[in-house]
Amino acid sequence: MQLPYFYEENIPESGSFFLTEETSKHIAVLRMKEGEVINITNGKGILLSSFIILLNKKKVEVAVTNKKFFPRPNLKITIAISPVKNNNRFEWFLEKATEIGISEIIPLLCDRSEKSTLKTERLNNIVISAMLQSRQSWMPLLKETTRFSEIIKDNANEEKFIAHCNDIEKKALKDFHSSTLSRVILIGPEGDFTDDEISAAIQQNFIAVSLGETRLRTETAGIVAAALLMNR
């Protein structure tokens, strides 16, 4: 039986420590008992095996028995995606992208974006939950909402793509095969990128790509792009 996973932002090197009230409540809901063993990660590569030595609804103390560090994966995938009007659909994207194992998610503010403000705390909680569900020790970085004009100036990635639906020359993302270790793709709003945005990105060495033959919703396009970039 696999050990349950929990998240704690601040964890010690060894010894015993108290979990946050939120995690303690979660353990109580699961009706765990003193002496049971759990995994705890900080989302930055550290995984602790610990056993419960004190348990109540608001305070759980654990003792560390083993510590492992998992290096960050060499492949860095960044999805810069315009938030959609429907909160549930964007939250679904965050959950599934985290499960796939991408490195960064950047909410992208475009000319046609219908939403510019996000509930950051709620979205972070969704990312944490998805990381734990998929039993990972690295949590993707959810960055602040960033304007399109700023994103295209970023030269931190070896490969840069923009996915759009315009009838201009573009390549199929599935046909790209390379050994680069850092890749970013821009996913536009439901009304797609404007012609000016596409031209500006291409001038900044972004490669225009297609994600397939059908027209995809923004959040679906984000997941397809994540899967393709993770497995090239």
Side-chain angles (χ1 to χ4, degrees), residues 38-131:
I38 61 175
N39 282 326
I40 304 170
T41 181
N42 64 351
K44 297 177 181 178
I46 294 178
L47 183 66
L48 301 180
S49 293
S50 310
F51 67 93
I52 300 170
I53 57 177
L54 173 68
L55 188 153
N56 60 52
K57 290 183 179 180
K58 292 187 177 181
K59 183 182 291 186
V60 171
E61 185 179 8
V62 297
V64 177
T65 57
N66 188 43
K67 174 187 174 183
K68 292 182 180 178
F69 177 74
F70 297 90
R72 182 185 286 277
N74 289 329
L75 181 60
K76 177 190 173 188
I77 302 297
T78 300
I79 308 290
I81 182 170
S82 176
V84 297
K85 193 172 183 180
N86 186 310
N87 289 332
N88 291 336
R89 283 166 47 196
F90 191 70
E91 290 172 4
W92 176 86
F93 162 76
L94 286 178
E95 179 183 81
K96 302 310 173 189
T98 300
E99 291 176 13
I100 289 171
I102 68 171
S103 308
E104 288 186 346
I105 300 165
I106 306 175
L108 184 61
L109 186 58
C110 308
D111 287 346
R112 292 173 178 163
S113 294
E114 296 185 88
K115 194 164 190 172
S116 59
T117 57
L118 298 171
K119 296 180 179 179
T120 305
E121 183 177 355
R122 175 175 172 80
L123 297 183
N124 271 311
N125 287 335
I126 289 170
V127 169
I128 290 169
S129 179
M131 174 191 66

Side-chain angles (χ1 to χ4, degrees), residues 80 108-111 147-155 157-164 166 168-170 184-188 192-209:
L108 184 61
L109 186 58
C110 308
D111 287 346
R147 291 188 176 277
F148 181 90
S149 58
E150 294 300 316
I151 284 288
I152 61 173
K153 296 176 183 176
D154 181 19
N155 292 313
N157 293 280
E158 296 174 81
E159 279 189 308
K160 305 186 294 184
F161 301 98
I162 179 170
H164 65 82
N166 280 15
I168 62 174
E169 183 179 356
K170 52 192 172 182
V184 60
I185 189 165
L186 312 184
I187 305 293
D192 204 3
F193 294 112
T194 64
D195 291 345
D196 287 345
E197 286 173 331
I198 295 170
S199 296
I202 291 173
Q203 289 174 11
Q204 294 291 335
N205 298 316
F206 279 78
I207 301 170
V209 294

Side-chain angles (χ1 to χ4, degrees), residues 171-178 210 228 232:
K171 301 177 181 179
L173 184 60
K174 67 180 179 64
D175 293 335
F176 277 86
H177 299 282
S178 73
S210 166
L228 289 173
R232 287 200 299 116

